[in-house]
Amino acid sequence: MIEWLMQHAPALLAVLDENLVCRHLSRGWRARFGLLSTDDSNNFSISDLFSEASSLEEKLRRSLLESSSLQDVPVSLLSESGITQGFLSAWPMQFESGSTGLGLAATCNTDLNRALDELRRLRTMHELILKAAGEGIYGLDSKGKATFGNAATKGILGWNPEEVIGKRVHDIHHHSYPDGSPYVHTECPIYAALQDGEVHRVDDEVFWHIDGSAVPVEYTSTPIRRDGSIEGAVVVFRDISKRKEIERQREAAFQEIKQLKEQLEQERDYLRDEIKTVSDFGDIIGNSPTLQRTMAQIDAVAATPANVLILGESGVGKEMIARAIHDRSERAGKPLVKVNCASIPKDLFESEFFGHVKGSFTGAHRDRAGRLQLADGGTVFLDEVGEIPLSLQSKLLRALQEKEFERVGDERTIKVDVRVVAATNRDLEAEVKAGRFREDLYYRLGVFPILVPPLRHRREDIGLLAEHFLERTCTELGRDPMSLSNQQVQRLMAHSWPGNIRELRNIIERAVILSTGNRARFDLAMPDAADITSDITTNPEPSDEADFVTEAEMREREKANLIAALRHADWRVWGPDGAAELLGIKPSTLKYRMTVLGISKPG
């Protein structure tokens, strides 16, 4: 057995007899001297192997005599290439022949240094890898105490790794939930890996920085096993603050896009309504002195941020004044949002003005932006402002003063920048005295009042307005162009127009609708038909002032014409070759005129 061991062992082993003569030398030791055969080493002495033979021989003889061992004695090992330092251990042996000797085992420092250098290289490499890692890495023992930490742990959490070694990591970094509530270690996924041996991954928790701030992290706790038992865990974590911020910004952007989408939908619906109810009166038309004074007021206030209160009778064109103020202001590029306060149900006033969130009341199936929010950056036109319920006037006042409000069912405050133009046909001062309108809201709205004159106070503009409405109506109805005579304009100017411009527009439309061929009828369109001549002709020819007939004569002529047509059609009103077809009018119109003129079929 000894011979086999000596022949194959790569270590430095030797067997000495009782005279300290080498009887066996291992392959590893023979290689130092370039010997191939085991027999070549049988004559080696202590002085052939070690440079300090005399002192070492004395120690070996004492070990042999006392049957004691030597441990790690420093020696100088001889070889073909020179002397190397090392350590020697010796122990007594007894051979089969009954004689005694010593077994030797030497360690060469060169091999040891090589192994140590390799160990140091590996350790340095591992340390560099740990330092280079961007994630924080902690090693834990079986009790959850830190055994190591890399440089990233300090960059993320502020603690030097040396300050954490030997302490429970959970108590330092993981003791509370994001909201600050206690996080007991028995619920900690990091420690769970020490108990169940499973890998635990968490992507939405916080570790606590040395300064007490919370650091959003994701981490993995992986158990360390040896011989089937769990000896610790490795925790790898990373700071996800940037990711959280990106997610927050993305969510904020999504909410903003959602809000803008809803606002655009509201604006789209609003604009659709506006297209349907586009101004009844077109652009502001006229050159009367009273209108010019009003226009001068518009030009003066438009460039300022002041709120405007437009006063005037119904139908005078208060909305057109509001549009003119907006179009001449710095807010012209932003929306002008109209709120008809007289058409909003009382229960929906707050939602209409300020908006609501989904589920805030029955029927609130989705979030909705209010008119004030739609008008942000622009102008809101409060038409018929005197109709706002007294109970809601205080909230509107606060929104106008503070430039902020909350939607119905929402706790979030929305800030807006709107200019208010209000209009009413009521006497708001009287309403304030009667307690039906808040005085503070009245003064907030009426910073700059504008009184729009009624049509009867600007008669010089009636002809221009009538021509405008006539041209527009003919175009809309697909009729041939028509014009007014001076006589007709004078008689239109003589009317009192209690309905103002709205009434004038309606009369013109009614006259065109009742027209036959190229002739428009005012005799049936006006409430007081005797005040207006009976026709407007297409491209009228000039005539002498004396060349006319009275209204009574005109009616007699019309009656005679209708009777002639009826006789020609054998008094048939409807059908082919009926009187209505001969006259070029609808049968219902003919029946109406027959009733008005008292025409009936002879018995």
Side-chain angles (χ1 to χ4, degrees):
M1 182 64 183
I2 293 177
E3 291 179 356
W4 182 89
L5 180 63
M6 293 299 113
Q7 183 177 359
H8 298 284
L12 300 182
L13 301 177
V15 177
L16 305 181
D17 61 14
E18 57 187 4
N19 296 319
L20 302 183
V21 175
C22 182
R23 293 181 57 182
H24 299 285
L25 203 61
S26 68
R27 182 171 65 84
W29 217 321
R30 292 197 310 272
R32 292 176 61 82
F33 293 99
L35 303 177
L36 299 177
S37 173
T38 57
D39 294 337
D40 297 336
S41 61
N42 289 344
N43 296 323
F44 271 68
S45 65
I46 297 300
S47 59
D48 294 326
L49 300 177
F50 305 102
S51 63
E52 59 275 86
S54 57
S55 60
L56 182 58
E57 185 175 345
E58 181 180 349
K59 293 178 181 178
L60 292 174
R61 289 190 182 278
R62 185 182 307 114
S63 174
L64 185 60
L65 292 173
E66 297 177 357
S67 297
S68 60
S69 300
L70 297 177
Q71 296 288 335
D72 297 330
V73 177
V75 294
S76 299
L77 300 169
L78 298 175
S79 68
E80 278 188 330
S81 59
I83 300 175
T84 57
Q85 301 302 312
F87 295 92
L88 177 67
S89 297
W91 61 93
M93 296 182 63
Q94 189 171 8
F95 304 117
E96 294 179 356
S97 61
S99 60
T100 61
L102 290 175
L104 301 182
T107 302
C108 179
N109 282 3
T110 301
D111 297 336
L112 178 60
N113 290 338
R114 186 180 299 113
L116 292 175
D117 288 343
E118 179 65 14
L119 181 61
R120 282 191 291 269
R121 186 187 69 81
L122 292 174
R123 180 176 180 180
T124 300
M125 182 184 298
H126 293 161
E127 289 177 350
L128 290 175
I129 292 173
L130 289 175
K131 289 181 179 179
E135 291 84 3
I137 302 175
Y138 276 130
L140 307 181
D141 62 16
S142 59
K143 295 182 179 179
K145 295 181 179 180
T147 57
F148 71 88
N150 69 339
T153 60
K154 181 178 180 181
I156 298 174
L157 301 175
W159 291 82
N160 287 315
E162 295 79 9
E163 298 175 305
V164 182
I165 302 301
K167 299 178 181 178
R168 291 167 62 95
V169 173
H170 179 87
D171 296 340
I172 296 174
H173 294 315
H174 209 203
H175 49 77
S176 301
Y177 285 99
D179 61 2
S181 58
Y183 196 158
V184 296
H185 74 274
T186 54
E187 300 174 357
C188 177
I190 293 176
Y191 285 8
L194 299 172
Q195 306 299 323
D196 57 23
E198 301 291 334
V199 177
H200 290 262
R201 295 180 176 86
V202 179
D203 60 3
D204 190 18
E205 283 192 2
V206 301
F207 284 173
W208 295 92
H209 196 275
I210 191 173
D211 63 7
S213 62
V215 180
V217 295
E218 62 180 14
Y219 62 85
T220 302
S221 180
T222 305
I224 300 174
R225 296 176 180 273
R226 179 181 292 177
D227 298 331
S229 62
I230 300 173
E231 293 193 351
V234 174
V235 182
V236 180
F237 63 92
R238 61 173 57 90
D239 182 355
I240 58 173
S241 298
K242 291 183 179 179
R243 191 189 80 188
K244 287 290 186 181
E245 177 62 19
I246 292 173
E247 290 176 355
R248 186 196 65 77
Q249 292 176 357
R250 185 184 297 117
E251 178 63 21
F254 173 77
Q255 293 299 328
E256 183 178 0
I257 290 172
K258 181 181 177 183
Q259 180 178 349
L260 289 174
K261 177 177 178 290
E262 293 172 354
Q263 185 170 343
L264 286 173
E265 289 176 351
Q266 293 288 331
E267 290 179 355
R268 177 200 64 195
D269 296 341
Y270 172 75
L271 289 174
R272 284 175 177 172
D273 294 340
E274 284 294 286
I275 291 173
K276 293 177 182 178
T277 59
V278 66
S279 169
D280 288 341
F281 315 128
D283 296 329
I284 298 177
I285 296 172
N287 53 20
S288 63
T290 54
L291 181 62
Q292 293 303 313
R293 284 195 296 270
T294 300
M295 296 302 297
Q297 288 180 301
I298 293 173
D299 290 335
V301 75
T304 73
N307 294 336
V308 179
L309 179 61
I310 303 173
L311 305 171
E313 297 176 5
S314 178
V316 295
K318 294 187 287 295
E319 182 178 345
M320 288 306 304
I321 301 298
R323 290 183 181 277
I325 294 172
H326 175 74
D327 291 342
R328 288 166 169 77
S329 72
E330 295 179 353
R331 300 171 181 261
K334 297 293 183 177
L336 169 66
V337 177
K338 175 185 174 182
V339 183
N340 189 339
C341 302
S343 64
I344 303 173
K346 182 177 180 180
D347 294 340
L348 297 180
F349 255 99
E350 192 171 1
S351 172
E352 188 72 21
F353 274 106
F354 308 114
H356 62 256
V357 296
K358 180 179 178 181
S360 56
F361 55 85
T362 302
H365 300 302
R366 64 184 179 92
D367 290 354
R368 183 179 188 273
R371 295 303 175 101
L372 288 181
Q373 189 174 353
L374 288 175
D376 187 23
T379 305
V380 61
F381 175 50
L382 303 180
D383 197 11
E384 303 299 344
V385 69
E387 303 294 333
I388 299 177
L390 186 63
S391 59
L392 292 175
Q393 292 178 17
S394 59
K395 188 168 184 178
L396 175 61
L397 176 64
R398 175 187 172 275
L400 298 181
Q401 288 177 335
E402 305 297 332
K403 296 185 177 182
E404 62 181 30
F405 58 87
E406 295 81 34
R407 294 189 295 178
V408 178
D410 194 2
E411 297 180 355
R412 182 172 60 93
T413 298
I414 298 175
K415 293 185 176 296
V416 293
D417 174 24
V418 295
R419 180 187 193 176
V420 178
V421 177
T424 183
N425 57 8
R426 290 189 179 190
D427 184 350
L428 287 189
E429 290 188 5
E431 294 293 303
V432 170
K433 292 179 181 179
R436 291 187 293 268
F437 201 86
R438 291 181 63 100
E439 185 177 24
D440 45 9
L441 179 58
Y442 169 68
Y443 287 116
R444 170 63 61 175
L445 297 174
V447 174
F448 192 92
I450 295 178
L451 179 61
V452 184
L455 189 57
R456 62 182 176 276
H457 291 168
R458 41 180 294 212
R459 296 185 183 276
E460 303 94 323
D461 300 332
I462 291 176
L464 294 174
L465 288 167
E467 288 283 0
H468 170 74
F469 292 138
L470 183 62
E471 179 183 357
R472 174 177 164 181
T473 302
C474 288
T475 300
E476 290 176 351
L477 298 181
R479 305 296 296 273
D480 293 334
M482 300 180 183
S483 62
L484 295 167
S485 69
N486 290 334
Q487 184 181 31
Q488 291 165 338
V489 171
Q490 291 297 321
R491 296 195 176 183
L492 286 173
M493 292 172 61
H495 185 60
S496 60
W497 300 111
N500 292 293
I501 300 175
R502 185 180 292 114
E503 181 186 6
L504 174 61
R505 177 183 181 279
N506 291 343
I507 292 297
I508 296 295
E509 286 188 356
R510 193 179 308 142
V512 173
I513 292 172
L514 293 173
S515 67
T516 59
N518 295 329
R519 303 182 59 166
R521 299 292 302 271
F522 271 89
D523 54 337
L524 302 178
M526 291 289 293
D528 48 350
D531 290 346
I532 305 293
T533 54
S534 63
D535 65 278
I536 302 174
T537 60
T538 301
N539 300 323
E541 297 181 359
S543 61
D544 186 17
E545 286 292 331
D547 187 15
F548 64 88
V549 296
T550 65
E551 176 68 17
E553 293 173 329
M554 181 63 72
R555 285 182 176 273
E556 287 298 326
R557 290 183 182 182
E558 182 181 8
K559 181 176 182 180
N561 185 57
L562 294 181
I563 292 174
L566 288 166
R567 286 175 177 172
H568 186 81
D570 196 21
W571 291 91
R572 287 185 296 104
V573 175
W574 281 270
D577 298 325
E581 183 179 273
L582 296 176
L583 293 170
I585 61 176
K586 294 181 179 180
S588 58
T589 302
L590 177 56
K591 289 294 293 182
Y592 175 77
R593 292 181 182 177
M594 290 173 64
T595 301
V596 172
L597 295 174
I599 300 174
S600 60
K601 183 178 180 181

